[in-house]
Amino acid sequence: MSQKTENDGATKDTAPDGAEALEKLNANLAKVEALSTRLVAAMGQRTPSDQGLSGPSQDLYLKAGAAYWTEAIANPGKLLEQQAMYWGQAMAQYMEMRDALAAGQMPVIADSDLPDDKRFANPLWKTHPYFNFVRHQYVLGSDAIRKAVTELEGLDSKDKQRVEFFASQVIELFSPTNYFATNPDALEKAVETEGESLVQGLENLVRDFEAHGGELLPTLADPDAFEVGVNIGTCEGSVVYRNRMLELIQYAPTTEKVHKIPLIIFPPWINKFYVLDLKPQNSLIKWAVDQGYTLFVASWKNPDETYADVGLQDYVEDGYLAAIEQVKEITGEKQVNAVGYCIAGTTLNLTLGLMKKRGDKSIKSATFFTTLTDFSVQGEFTPFLQDDFVDAIERQIAQDGVLSSYFMSKTMSFLRSKDLIYGPAVRSYMMGETPPAFDLLYWNGDSTNLPGKMAKEYLRGLCQSNALATDGFELGGETLSLKDVTVPVCAIACKTDHIAPWVDCFRGVTKMGSKDKTFIVSESGHIAGIVNPPSKKKYGHFTNPKVSGEAADWLEAADFNEGSWWPQWDSWLKPRSGAQIAARAPGDNGREILAPAPGSYVKEGKKL
């Protein structure tokens, strides 16, 4: 606070007078008292079923402990060496600091060997003795934990991977940036704002507890910055069909002529479809319409407890097959081209298999975005796909009828806890910042529940048993396998995708029965690699016409192409989409328009 003094007319910093400071203190104390009452009430909302998904079973800890002590007895020198190395390095740092102080020098440790980490960007981590020492000790401790776990013997590969994952969570949890007393950014902000940042942080904390029923999940984007259908998900279209599973949206044409064969996209029902229509500049929906396709998109119902008995067959029969029949009826065509994204791509495989068994040729070609069909390698999801976690999920489902969106969001967040949990928590709760107005993060937080039966079938039958890629998955009275997928296939995977790794997507495609396969690998991850418009010229893609053998060999022989894969897909899809005809608009054939896009299902909030 600056004010002019009477003596010299100069402006200089002065503290607020006593009355003003006291008034501000009392106001903040009143806020803290009210927020504390709300916080206690919010934390009391936590239900007993929430407790069941708090971590792995005790068996994992027992196995890890047994492996540790067995190794300690069999090879005590190895463990002593690990401990001695850690103690020696920690003491060496302490001695270096002490000697510098004794010599009257600034006691900081050179950090040339430390890995780059944006959490430690504040210059004080390098120049201030306290923060410098804390950071170096954290890095030493982290390395010691990783080394001890990595060299642990006597565990099978899955248990080893799980121990490593949970050890990494401990490391992330204890980062000094996560604690007020060891975070220079938070301390500086508190001083600058005279504590106002801490009050605002407490308010943000209470808001998140209240929003998630007593559980803590940081809000990633400003919840008031976007409204679906107003400034996000705005592509022009109409809801032309609705049942208990989905709303079918037909988009308005932007070209005078369109391809004869219509295109239908099935997005994943784990999140909402407007990830493909965030804004006009990166909307895959708008782009597809602009290329002259009559486009339909499924907007899935966000289920509540009344959907407990809805399974994968319901999604196939009342979702995919019902929507395809409506598209055929509206357009007068006998076939459609279909797209499935993520879990919707997996289920499109089931749909194609069932249609093959029934002799139904309604799908002319299939496109898969980041789709897993062979789950023999569970990758980063291994910690969450073992019996103890799935058993706990089934207990939660038995009580609530659905797999709550909260648990889905929490699982995805822990796969990238530094960026999706601790980073946002620090900015929101310790810095008092408002979450950013970021459309993709807003969509990421707008998650949905999964019907109980469907979730169990997916986890047990597809992920754990890998039935679709091995012995066959039972659905609709038929045994379905990847060999039953015989239509032309184009699959797009993403090079750094941690949810559906491209090598696993590739393996599944090679097992499909189709003789006409195209495989494309986009740069970037699960969302950014797909939502990659040509106008940005940001991420390139790899192509190789030979879709067989090992993934590594495919990539080594692949050609790299600058820019988005969208035009490449368009070149593949056009020859399979028929001749040009007059554009079709929603309602042209007398079909009743139920609502303007994006419809009502997409606006339904979290049910539990």
XYZ file of all heavy atoms in Angstrom, residues 228-229 232-243 245-253 262-267 272-277 283 285-286 288-289 293-301 319-320 322-324 326-328 330-331 336-337 339 584-587 591-604:
622
model
N -22.221 -25.484 -22.003
C -22.376 -26.335 -23.181
C -23.539 -25.820 -24.028
O -24.640 -25.596 -23.523
C -22.606 -27.801 -22.770
C -22.787 -28.675 -24.008
C -21.431 -28.305 -21.941
N -23.262 -25.634 -25.306
C -24.267 -25.118 -26.211
C -24.227 -23.613 -26.359
O -24.881 -23.062 -27.249
N -19.301 -23.553 -25.897
C -18.582 -24.820 -26.066
C -19.607 -25.843 -26.569
O -20.757 -25.855 -26.130
C -17.939 -25.252 -24.717
C -16.935 -26.375 -24.903
C -18.991 -25.643 -23.700
C -16.116 -26.662 -23.651
N -19.231 -26.666 -27.540
C -20.189 -27.595 -28.116
C -21.286 -26.876 -28.879
O -22.473 -27.122 -28.656
N -20.905 -26.006 -29.828
C -21.883 -25.116 -30.457
C -22.165 -25.414 -31.928
O -22.897 -24.656 -32.576
C -21.400 -23.655 -30.354
O -20.131 -23.530 -31.016
C -21.274 -23.229 -28.903
N -21.614 -26.477 -32.467
C -21.839 -26.775 -33.884
C -23.341 -26.956 -34.141
O -24.047 -27.613 -33.372
C -21.070 -28.036 -34.278
S -20.869 -28.237 -36.058
N -23.832 -26.390 -35.234
C -25.273 -26.379 -35.510
C -25.786 -27.768 -35.887
O -25.229 -28.443 -36.752
C -25.583 -25.392 -36.638
C -27.072 -25.271 -36.942
C -27.359 -24.362 -38.120
O -26.403 -23.753 -38.661
O -28.551 -24.264 -38.507
N -26.851 -28.173 -35.237
C -27.455 -29.462 -35.526
C -28.730 -29.647 -34.729
O -29.184 -28.730 -34.036
N -29.321 -30.849 -34.814
C -30.596 -31.117 -34.151
C -30.623 -32.542 -33.620
O -30.070 -33.464 -34.234
C -31.759 -30.939 -35.136
O -31.755 -29.645 -35.697
N -31.294 -32.707 -32.484
C -31.566 -34.043 -31.947
C -32.728 -34.615 -32.746
O -33.831 -34.051 -32.755
C -31.916 -33.997 -30.448
C -32.278 -35.395 -29.945
C -30.750 -33.425 -29.645
N -32.489 -35.738 -33.418
C -33.504 -36.333 -34.288
C -34.020 -37.662 -33.754
O -34.932 -38.257 -34.326
C -32.957 -36.508 -35.721
C -32.711 -35.153 -36.369
C -31.672 -37.337 -35.722
N -33.435 -38.129 -32.660
C -33.887 -39.391 -32.052
C -33.406 -39.420 -30.617
O -32.336 -38.915 -30.294
C -33.324 -40.590 -32.825
C -33.633 -41.933 -32.198
C -34.914 -42.479 -32.250
C -32.626 -42.666 -31.551
C -35.191 -43.710 -31.672
C -32.901 -43.900 -30.977
C -34.178 -44.420 -31.035
O -34.452 -45.636 -30.466
N -34.236 -40.018 -29.756
C -33.867 -40.128 -28.342
C -34.454 -41.415 -27.779
O -35.622 -41.742 -28.016
C -34.386 -38.930 -27.558
C -34.085 -38.960 -26.071
C -34.789 -37.836 -25.313
N -34.317 -36.507 -25.696
C -35.118 -35.538 -26.118
N -36.425 -35.743 -26.232
N -34.613 -34.354 -26.432
N -33.641 -42.177 -27.049
C -34.145 -43.295 -26.257
C -33.451 -43.277 -24.902
O -32.783 -42.296 -24.554
C -33.991 -44.633 -26.991
C -32.532 -45.058 -27.185
O -31.611 -44.473 -26.607
N -32.310 -46.080 -28.001
N -30.864 -44.658 -23.892
C -29.410 -44.782 -23.942
C -28.724 -43.556 -24.535
O -27.618 -43.218 -24.122
C -29.008 -46.019 -24.760
C -29.516 -47.340 -24.198
S -28.928 -47.687 -22.532
C -27.179 -47.833 -22.813
N -29.362 -42.917 -25.503
C -28.656 -41.850 -26.208
C -29.618 -40.873 -26.858
O -30.804 -41.157 -27.045
C -27.709 -42.426 -27.264
C -28.285 -43.370 -28.348
C -29.059 -42.610 -29.427
C -27.160 -44.159 -28.993
N -29.079 -39.716 -27.197
C -29.693 -38.794 -28.139
C -28.867 -38.836 -29.418
O -27.628 -38.836 -29.360
C -29.710 -37.362 -27.588
C -30.713 -37.148 -26.470
C -30.771 -35.716 -25.987
O -29.723 -35.028 -26.041
O -31.854 -35.288 -25.544
N -29.546 -38.880 -30.538
C -28.860 -38.902 -31.830
C -28.947 -37.507 -32.443
O -30.035 -36.984 -32.667
C -29.496 -39.935 -32.757
C -28.831 -40.097 -34.132
C -27.412 -40.644 -33.980
C -29.671 -41.008 -35.021
N -27.774 -36.908 -32.678
C -27.701 -35.555 -33.231
C -27.327 -35.631 -34.707
O -26.359 -36.301 -35.083
C -26.658 -34.714 -32.472
C -27.036 -34.613 -30.988
C -26.542 -33.329 -33.090
C -25.965 -33.980 -30.130
N -28.114 -34.960 -35.548
C -27.768 -34.795 -36.956
C -27.299 -33.364 -37.144
O -28.001 -32.418 -36.763
C -28.962 -35.075 -37.872
C -28.627 -34.900 -39.359
C -29.820 -35.161 -40.271
O -30.893 -35.550 -39.814
N -29.647 -34.936 -41.559
N -26.119 -33.181 -37.732
C -25.557 -31.845 -37.885
C -25.948 -31.229 -39.228
O -26.078 -31.927 -40.239
C -24.038 -31.882 -37.700
C -23.691 -32.020 -36.239
C -23.511 -33.277 -35.664
C -23.631 -30.913 -35.418
C -23.252 -33.406 -34.306
C -23.374 -31.031 -34.060
C -23.181 -32.280 -33.513
O -22.948 -32.411 -32.163
N -26.151 -29.912 -39.179
C -26.584 -29.177 -40.368
C -25.452 -29.118 -41.389
O -24.297 -28.851 -41.035
C -27.022 -27.768 -39.978
N -25.761 -29.350 -42.660
C -24.701 -29.331 -43.685
C -24.180 -27.924 -43.921
O -24.882 -26.927 -43.725
C -25.422 -29.866 -44.924
C -26.862 -29.495 -44.708
C -27.093 -29.609 -43.235
N -23.889 -41.918 -45.085
C -23.755 -41.077 -43.889
C -22.668 -41.581 -42.948
O -22.252 -42.745 -43.017
C -25.139 -41.168 -43.236
C -25.675 -42.493 -43.692
C -25.131 -42.712 -45.079
N -22.233 -40.691 -42.074
C -21.179 -40.988 -41.107
C -21.746 -40.822 -39.701
O -22.392 -39.813 -39.404
C -20.002 -40.033 -41.317
C -18.821 -40.130 -40.348
C -18.101 -41.460 -40.500
C -17.846 -38.966 -40.595
N -21.517 -41.810 -38.831
C -21.968 -41.716 -37.445
C -20.795 -41.936 -36.508
O -19.999 -42.867 -36.697
C -23.114 -42.713 -37.133
C -23.560 -42.544 -35.677
C -22.736 -44.147 -37.457
C -24.836 -43.288 -35.340
N -20.671 -41.049 -35.527
C -19.585 -41.131 -34.542
C -20.169 -41.547 -33.193
O -21.134 -40.948 -32.708
C -18.858 -39.783 -34.397
C -18.198 -39.386 -35.717
C -17.807 -39.855 -33.285
C -17.496 -38.025 -35.671
N -19.558 -42.570 -32.599
C -19.908 -43.009 -31.247
C -18.772 -42.597 -30.305
O -17.723 -43.242 -30.277
C -20.111 -44.526 -31.196
C -21.296 -45.006 -31.988
C -21.130 -45.546 -33.256
C -22.575 -44.901 -31.471
C -22.213 -45.989 -33.998
C -23.681 -45.339 -32.204
C -23.498 -45.879 -33.466
N -18.946 -41.516 -29.546
C -17.908 -41.101 -28.593
C -17.954 -41.996 -27.348
O -18.933 -42.705 -27.114
C -18.305 -39.659 -28.241
C -19.466 -39.327 -29.138
C -20.079 -40.608 -29.550
N -18.114 -36.820 -22.145
C -19.179 -36.358 -23.030
C -18.639 -36.010 -24.410
O -17.461 -35.690 -24.573
C -19.895 -35.173 -22.390
C -20.582 -35.576 -21.082
C -21.323 -34.439 -20.416
C -21.994 -34.918 -19.130
N -22.709 -33.818 -18.434
N -19.537 -36.057 -25.397
C -19.119 -36.028 -26.795
C -18.506 -34.714 -27.241
O -17.782 -34.660 -28.246
C -20.315 -36.354 -27.698
C -21.229 -35.185 -27.963
C -21.001 -34.347 -29.043
C -22.299 -34.904 -27.139
C -21.830 -33.255 -29.296
C -23.137 -33.826 -27.378
C -22.897 -32.995 -28.465
N -18.749 -33.619 -26.508
C -18.327 -32.325 -27.039
C -16.814 -32.107 -26.996
O -16.330 -31.042 -27.403
C -19.066 -31.177 -26.348
C -18.819 -30.994 -24.868
C -17.745 -30.242 -24.401
C -19.674 -31.554 -23.922
C -17.530 -30.049 -23.046
C -19.465 -31.374 -22.555
C -18.393 -30.622 -22.126
O -18.179 -30.439 -20.780
N -16.047 -33.095 -26.563
C -14.596 -33.004 -26.748
C -14.268 -32.898 -28.239
O -13.227 -32.355 -28.620
C -13.876 -34.212 -26.120
C -14.185 -35.502 -26.872
C -12.378 -33.968 -26.065
N -15.181 -33.387 -29.075
C -15.001 -33.308 -30.525
C -15.575 -32.012 -31.098
O -15.595 -31.824 -32.311
C -15.667 -34.518 -31.196
C -15.125 -35.884 -30.767
C -15.921 -37.001 -31.424
C -13.645 -36.015 -31.097
N -16.047 -31.123 -30.213
C -16.630 -29.856 -30.650
C -16.399 -28.788 -29.580
O -17.330 -28.092 -29.169
C -18.133 -30.044 -30.915
C -18.786 -28.822 -31.541
O -18.089 -28.090 -32.281
O -19.990 -28.594 -31.277
N -12.849 -28.184 -33.856
C -13.973 -29.106 -33.839
C -13.854 -30.147 -34.951
O -13.935 -29.818 -36.140
C -15.286 -28.328 -33.992
O -16.371 -29.208 -34.181
N -16.097 -32.356 -35.372
C -17.469 -32.419 -35.876
C -17.669 -31.402 -36.999
O -18.164 -31.734 -38.084
C -18.459 -32.194 -34.719
C -18.481 -33.441 -33.815
C -19.852 -31.871 -35.229
C -19.308 -33.286 -32.559
N -17.310 -30.146 -36.761
C -17.464 -29.117 -37.789
C -16.622 -29.433 -39.015
O -17.074 -29.267 -40.158
C -17.074 -27.749 -37.225
C -17.245 -26.594 -38.214
C -16.820 -25.270 -37.604
C -17.099 -24.113 -38.571
N -16.439 -24.300 -39.877
N -15.658 -32.367 -40.150
C -16.243 -33.466 -40.923
C -17.434 -32.980 -41.743
O -17.611 -33.362 -42.911
C -16.662 -34.592 -39.977
N -18.259 -32.129 -41.148
C -19.389 -31.562 -41.878
C -18.888 -30.724 -43.059
O -19.429 -30.794 -44.172
C -20.265 -30.716 -40.926
C -21.330 -29.952 -41.712
C -20.925 -31.608 -39.875
N -19.778 -34.523 -45.330
C -20.367 -35.748 -44.791
C -21.666 -35.409 -44.066
O -21.741 -34.394 -43.355
C -19.409 -36.434 -43.816
C -18.144 -36.930 -44.469
C -16.946 -36.221 -44.349
C -18.142 -38.090 -45.231
C -15.784 -36.662 -44.956
C -16.978 -38.539 -45.844
C -15.813 -37.822 -45.709
O -14.662 -38.258 -46.323
N -22.688 -36.231 -44.258
C -23.888 -36.132 -43.436
C -23.555 -36.788 -42.106
O -23.439 -38.016 -42.014
C -25.083 -36.842 -44.091
O -25.314 -36.274 -45.382
C -26.337 -36.689 -43.229
N -23.369 -35.976 -41.076
C -22.785 -36.448 -39.823
C -23.839 -36.582 -38.723
O -24.621 -35.662 -38.474
C -21.691 -35.494 -39.358
C -21.000 -35.859 -38.037
C -20.243 -37.179 -38.159
C -20.059 -34.752 -37.596
N -23.800 -37.741 -38.068
C -24.602 -38.002 -36.879
C -23.640 -38.321 -35.736
O -22.598 -38.969 -35.936
C -25.539 -39.188 -37.096
C -26.586 -38.973 -38.156
C -26.275 -39.121 -39.505
C -27.879 -38.629 -37.811
C -27.235 -38.927 -40.488
C -28.854 -38.429 -38.780
C -28.519 -38.580 -40.118
N -23.990 -37.889 -34.528
C -23.173 -38.168 -33.346
C -24.086 -38.641 -32.215
O -25.164 -38.060 -31.988
C -22.381 -36.920 -32.898
C -21.656 -37.183 -31.579
C -21.390 -36.501 -33.972
N -23.651 -39.675 -31.507
C -24.388 -40.177 -30.346
C -23.993 -39.376 -29.105
O -22.806 -39.221 -28.813
C -24.086 -41.652 -30.129
N -24.981 -38.871 -28.395
C -24.762 -38.214 -27.100
C -25.371 -39.120 -26.041
O -26.596 -39.262 -25.949
C -25.428 -36.836 -27.079
O -25.323 -36.250 -25.791
N -24.524 -39.754 -25.248
C -24.969 -40.809 -24.335
C -25.645 -40.254 -23.087
O -25.303 -39.177 -22.600
C -23.785 -41.684 -23.918
C -23.111 -42.379 -25.045
C -21.950 -42.006 -25.670
C -23.557 -43.556 -25.713
N -21.637 -42.884 -26.669
C -22.606 -43.851 -26.730
C -24.663 -44.404 -25.567
C -22.722 -44.950 -27.574
C -24.782 -45.500 -26.413
C -23.825 -45.763 -27.401
N -26.573 -41.026 -22.562
C -27.235 -40.702 -21.296
C -26.246 -40.864 -20.147
O -25.463 -41.811 -20.118
C -28.425 -41.644 -21.088
C -29.175 -41.488 -19.780
C -30.042 -40.257 -19.788
C -30.921 -40.203 -18.537
N -31.765 -38.983 -18.516
N -28.158 -48.835 -28.190
C -27.290 -47.719 -28.517
C -26.868 -47.770 -29.974
O -27.440 -47.098 -30.833
N -25.901 -48.620 -30.278
C -25.319 -48.677 -31.616
C -26.341 -49.080 -32.676
O -26.538 -48.359 -33.674
C -24.141 -49.657 -31.641
C -22.919 -49.170 -30.901
C -22.884 -49.117 -29.518
C -21.792 -48.757 -31.596
C -21.770 -48.671 -28.841
C -20.659 -48.302 -30.937
C -20.665 -48.261 -29.551
O -19.560 -47.800 -28.884
N -29.615 -49.352 -32.615
C -30.769 -48.458 -32.719
C -30.408 -47.183 -33.462
O -31.165 -46.710 -34.322
C -31.307 -48.135 -31.317
N -29.242 -46.614 -33.130
C -28.812 -45.372 -33.784
C -28.561 -45.599 -35.275
O -28.937 -44.770 -36.118
C -27.567 -44.829 -33.104
N -27.922 -46.715 -35.607
C -27.632 -47.013 -37.009
C -28.924 -47.168 -37.805
O -29.043 -46.669 -38.940
C -26.754 -48.279 -37.109
C -25.335 -47.961 -36.596
C -26.703 -48.797 -38.538
C -24.481 -49.182 -36.386
N -31.757 -45.736 -37.166
C -32.337 -44.405 -37.324
C -31.627 -43.628 -38.436
O -32.270 -42.932 -39.232
C -32.242 -43.636 -36.001
C -33.142 -44.178 -34.906
C -34.612 -44.098 -35.268
O -35.071 -43.093 -35.823
N -35.355 -45.150 -34.965
N -30.308 -43.718 -38.499
C -29.554 -43.028 -39.540
C -29.949 -43.556 -40.917
O -30.153 -42.781 -41.874
C -28.040 -43.168 -39.308
C -27.252 -42.618 -40.497
C -27.628 -42.457 -38.034
N -30.094 -44.852 -41.037
C -30.512 -45.455 -42.305
C -31.900 -44.971 -42.703
O -32.166 -44.652 -43.864
C -30.478 -46.977 -42.196
C -29.073 -47.563 -42.141
C -29.064 -49.008 -41.629
C -29.914 -49.920 -42.454
N -29.913 -51.303 -41.920
N -33.446 -42.184 -41.705
C -33.449 -40.742 -41.989
C -32.856 -40.447 -43.360
O -33.361 -39.589 -44.108
C -32.686 -39.989 -40.889
C -33.479 -40.021 -39.578
C -32.383 -38.551 -41.302
C -32.697 -39.528 -38.375
N -31.780 -41.147 -43.715
C -31.076 -40.848 -44.973
C -31.554 -41.696 -46.145
O -31.246 -41.377 -47.303
C -29.559 -41.066 -44.801
O -29.318 -42.445 -44.467
C -29.008 -40.169 -43.705
N -23.955 -47.350 -43.360
C -23.337 -46.166 -42.765
C -21.855 -46.451 -42.580
O -21.431 -47.613 -42.538
C -23.967 -45.817 -41.395
C -25.475 -45.667 -41.507
C -23.616 -46.866 -40.331
N -21.071 -45.396 -42.455
C -19.691 -45.511 -41.983
C -19.693 -45.135 -40.510
O -20.295 -44.124 -40.125
C -18.768 -44.588 -42.767
C -18.556 -45.064 -44.196
O -18.322 -46.249 -44.427
N -18.671 -44.161 -45.155
N -17.741 -44.629 -36.587
C -16.524 -44.281 -35.848
C -16.751 -44.580 -34.378
O -17.805 -44.247 -33.825
C -16.172 -42.785 -36.014
C -14.907 -42.444 -35.222
C -16.013 -42.419 -37.476
N -28.282 -32.972 -47.099
C -29.435 -33.316 -46.274
C -29.409 -32.456 -45.015
O -28.399 -32.404 -44.314
C -29.399 -34.784 -45.851
C -29.141 -35.809 -46.953
C -28.998 -37.175 -46.303
N -28.783 -38.268 -47.228
C -27.609 -38.879 -47.412
N -26.541 -38.447 -46.739
N -27.498 -39.885 -48.253
N -30.510 -31.838 -44.690
C -30.617 -31.042 -43.466
C -31.526 -31.764 -42.477
O -32.430 -32.506 -42.882
C -31.173 -29.658 -43.770
N -31.286 -31.588 -41.189
C -32.173 -32.208 -40.201
C -33.628 -31.815 -40.451
O -33.935 -30.637 -40.664
C -31.663 -31.632 -38.871
C -30.230 -31.284 -39.126
C -30.191 -30.833 -40.553
N -34.515 -32.802 -40.446
C -35.937 -32.542 -40.654
C -36.370 -32.582 -42.099
O -37.577 -32.476 -42.393
N -38.768 -35.894 -40.466
C -38.422 -36.360 -39.113
C -38.575 -35.208 -38.114
O -38.079 -34.111 -38.341
C -36.996 -36.901 -39.094
C -36.444 -37.253 -37.708
C -37.282 -38.344 -37.036
N -37.198 -39.615 -37.727
C -36.418 -40.624 -37.348
N -35.680 -40.498 -36.262
N -36.412 -41.741 -38.025
N -39.238 -35.490 -36.988
C -39.448 -34.472 -35.964
C -38.123 -34.049 -35.337
O -37.268 -34.879 -35.026
C -40.375 -35.010 -34.870
C -40.631 -34.028 -33.746
C -41.445 -34.639 -32.609
O -41.781 -35.840 -32.703
O -41.711 -33.910 -31.630
N -37.932 -32.754 -35.168
C -36.770 -32.220 -34.472
C -37.103 -32.163 -32.985
O -38.031 -31.453 -32.575
C -36.397 -30.822 -34.994
C -36.106 -30.867 -36.501
C -35.208 -30.267 -34.218
C -34.985 -31.779 -36.895
N -36.373 -32.894 -32.172
C -36.673 -32.970 -30.747
C -36.060 -31.824 -29.960
O -36.606 -31.400 -28.938
C -36.178 -34.308 -30.184
C -36.741 -35.574 -30.852
C -36.170 -36.820 -30.191
C -38.262 -35.581 -30.798
N -34.918 -31.347 -30.403
C -34.222 -30.253 -29.703
C -33.051 -29.806 -30.561
O -32.551 -30.575 -31.391
C -33.723 -30.715 -28.335
N -32.599 -28.568 -30.381
C -31.364 -28.156 -31.070
C -30.155 -28.835 -30.437
O -30.177 -29.199 -29.258
C -31.339 -26.643 -30.860
C -32.116 -26.412 -29.603
C -33.187 -27.461 -29.583
N -29.104 -29.018 -31.226
C -27.848 -29.533 -30.668
C -27.314 -28.504 -29.652
O -27.540 -27.308 -29.809
C -26.841 -29.760 -31.783
N -26.665 -28.953 -28.604
C -26.155 -30.310 -28.353
C -27.119 -31.235 -27.624
O -26.709 -32.296 -27.140
C -24.925 -30.035 -27.484
C -25.314 -28.837 -26.686
C -26.150 -27.992 -27.595
N -28.385 -30.865 -27.493
C -29.353 -31.727 -26.839
C -29.393 -31.547 -25.334
O -28.747 -30.661 -24.766
N -30.146 -32.431 -24.678
C -30.335 -32.332 -23.226
C -29.481 -33.311 -22.432
O -29.048 -33.000 -21.326
C -31.807 -32.558 -22.875
O -32.246 -33.834 -23.331
N -29.188 -34.485 -22.984
C -28.420 -35.487 -22.224
C -27.035 -34.962 -21.852
O -26.523 -35.232 -20.762
C -28.283 -36.771 -23.029
C -29.514 -37.658 -23.047
C -30.687 -37.280 -22.401
C -29.512 -38.890 -23.713
C -31.810 -38.093 -22.413
C -30.633 -39.712 -23.731
C -31.777 -39.304 -23.089
O -32.881 -40.123 -23.103
N -26.410 -34.225 -22.758
C -25.047 -33.742 -22.521
C -25.002 -32.706 -21.408
O -23.938 -32.467 -20.809
C -24.460 -33.166 -23.824
C -25.095 -31.815 -24.148
C -22.946 -33.038 -23.748
N -26.139 -32.105 -21.087
C -26.177 -31.066 -20.061
C -26.505 -31.620 -18.684
O -26.513 -30.868 -17.706
C -27.201 -30.000 -20.445
C -26.852 -29.265 -21.735
C -27.905 -28.229 -22.089
C -27.576 -27.533 -23.399
N -28.600 -26.524 -23.763
N -26.779 -32.918 -18.615
C -27.091 -33.515 -17.320
C -25.824 -33.610 -16.487
O -24.788 -34.093 -16.952
C -27.702 -34.907 -17.509
C -29.064 -34.869 -18.180
C -29.629 -36.256 -18.437
O -28.856 -37.243 -18.365
O -30.836 -36.346 -18.706
